[in-house]
């Protein structure tokens, strides 16, 4: 670990420890660890300092948590890196990864560099599987959302604008259909696709069980789930 990475690690840890919406330090640490694991596949070709810094700084000021300001995160990362003597080229690379990373309703979000692809894969893997489920309900709870409402179907083919629109809060289960279940097969690295697919199967089983328990297996959500399995 370089000394800048160590400094950043300690800084982000302090900054995010008590974050209540699933974007806390433990999310960041998992993304950091997973990104380095994915990077091992092509470690000859990628810059692990860039990967580490982008993973550590990617959620310090998420647009969802800062009233919709999409520049708050990249700006905070840039300020931190320049205050700590990083070179212009390093700052530019890390900040551009953070800017491009976010899902915002689209599975195909091209990343400019291999480092960016790896950090995006790692962040997305933390949105699926058992941990993804936990984070999603933490986000819903922290935002006062309903868990499930059979009368409010999930929205299909959301535009980035509608995805980001937080003025019409939808029940948390809908987020599975609006993001989590759409990620399968859309990772950049082979290992992320493999891990992501296992986590996807777990999500499907979970949503099916939840709908069954809620006597909603013949509703719109069940129909959407059936279509996803095809
Ligand atoms: P990004 O921040 O990359 O644009 P998201 O907006 O989907 O991606 O946020 C990351 C995580 O935050 C999601 O994987 C999920 O756990 C949680 N989250 C975001 N929006 C919602 C939502 N509407 N309902 C429940 N969880 C959400
Ligand atoms: Ni994240």
């Amino acid at each position: 670990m370089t000394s800048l990475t160590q400094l950043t690690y300690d800084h982000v840890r302090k900054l995010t420890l008590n974050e209540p919406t699933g974007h806390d330090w433990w999310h960041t640490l998992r993304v950091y660890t997973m990104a380095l694991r994915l990077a091992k596949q092509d470690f000859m070709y990628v810059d692990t300092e860039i990967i580490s810094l982008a993973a550590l700084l990617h959620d310090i000021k998420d647009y969802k948590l800062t009233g919709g300001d999409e520049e708050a995160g990249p700006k905070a990362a840039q300020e931190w890196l320049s205050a700590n003597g990083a070179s212009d080229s390093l700052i530019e690379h890390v900040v551009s990864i953070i800017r491009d990373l976010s899902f915002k309703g689209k599975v195909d979000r091209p990343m400019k560099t291999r480092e960016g692809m790896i950090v995006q894969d790692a962040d997305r893997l933390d949105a699926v599987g058992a941990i993804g489920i936990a984070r999603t309900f933490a986000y819903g709870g922290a935002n006062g959302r309903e868990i499930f409402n059979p009368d409010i179907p999930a929205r299909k083919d959301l535009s980035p604008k509608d995805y980001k629109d937080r003025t019409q809060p939808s029940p948390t289960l809908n987020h599975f259909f609006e993001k989590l279940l759409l990620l399968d097969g859309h990772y950049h690295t082979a290992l992320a696709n493999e891990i992501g697919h296992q986590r996807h199967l777990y999500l499907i089983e979970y949503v099916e069980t939840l709908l069954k328990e809620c006597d909603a297996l013949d509703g719109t959500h069940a129909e959407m789930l059936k279509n996803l399995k095809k």
Side-chain angles (χ1 to χ4, degrees), residues 42 51 74 96 116 128 135 155 169 172 179 193 197-198 212 223 226:
D42 36 33
I51 291 174
S96 104
V128 291
R135 290 184 63 224
R155 301 162 296 174
T172 300
K179 174 181 177 187
N193 268 314
H197 186 63
Q198 292 311 312
K212 212 182 287 174
E223 198 56 40
K226 222 185 287 163

Side-chain angles (χ1 to χ4, degrees), residues 195-223:
I195 301 172
H197 186 63
Q198 292 311 312
R199 294 187 183 190
H200 176 76
L201 297 178
Y202 187 74
L203 285 184
I204 290 192
E205 194 185 325
Y206 175 80
V207 173
E208 205 162 35
T209 307
L210 187 146
L211 291 172
K212 212 182 287 174
E213 289 175 2
C214 297
D215 291 325
L217 254 196
D218 52 359
T220 333
H221 288 90
E223 198 56 40

Side-chain angles (χ1 to χ4, degrees), residues 137-156:
F137 285 108
Y139 183 96
N143 285 282
R145 307 254 171 110
E146 290 175 313
I147 293 171
F148 171 57
N149 182 335
D151 299 329
I152 306 181
R155 301 162 296 174
K156 269 189 243 164

Side-chain angles (χ1 to χ4, degrees), residues 21-144:
T21 73
H23 296 73
D24 60 1
W25 167 244
W26 304 109
H27 162 64
T28 295
L29 187 58
R30 284 188 300 272
V31 172
Y32 169 76
T33 310
M34 178 61 80
L36 290 178
R37 181 175 160 198
L38 298 176
K40 272 205 182 128
Q41 297 168 105
D42 36 33
F43 76 107
M44 294 280 282
Y45 311 100
V46 291
D47 183 335
T48 51
E49 186 181 32
I50 298 281
I51 291 174
S52 302
L53 291 170
L56 289 170
L57 292 166
H58 85 277
D59 266 339
I60 49 169
K61 284 206 173 148
D62 190 283
Y63 74 93
K64 294 187 293 304
L65 321 171
T66 50
D69 180 0
E70 290 181 29
E71 266 308 300
K75 187 161 171 269
Q78 200 218 323
E79 283 168 2
W80 166 258
L81 293 171
S82 3
N84 287 283
S87 70
D88 288 350
S89 66
L90 184 144
I91 296 175
E92 207 227 311
H93 194 164
V94 171
V95 170
S96 104
I97 292 177
I98 295 172
R99 194 172 276 129
D100 294 344
L101 194 70
S102 167
F103 173 72
K104 301 198 196 92
K106 276 184 74 182
V107 282
D108 291 312
R109 283 226 164 263
M111 298 301 288
K112 295 183 193 82
T113 62
R114 191 75 186 155
E115 286 80 2
M117 293 178 195
I118 284 173
V119 179
Q120 188 183 57
D121 276 1
D123 190 32
R124 287 183 167 190
L125 284 175
D126 213 54
V128 291
I131 189 64
I133 296 170
R135 290 184 63 224
T136 299
F137 285 108
Y139 183 96
N143 285 282

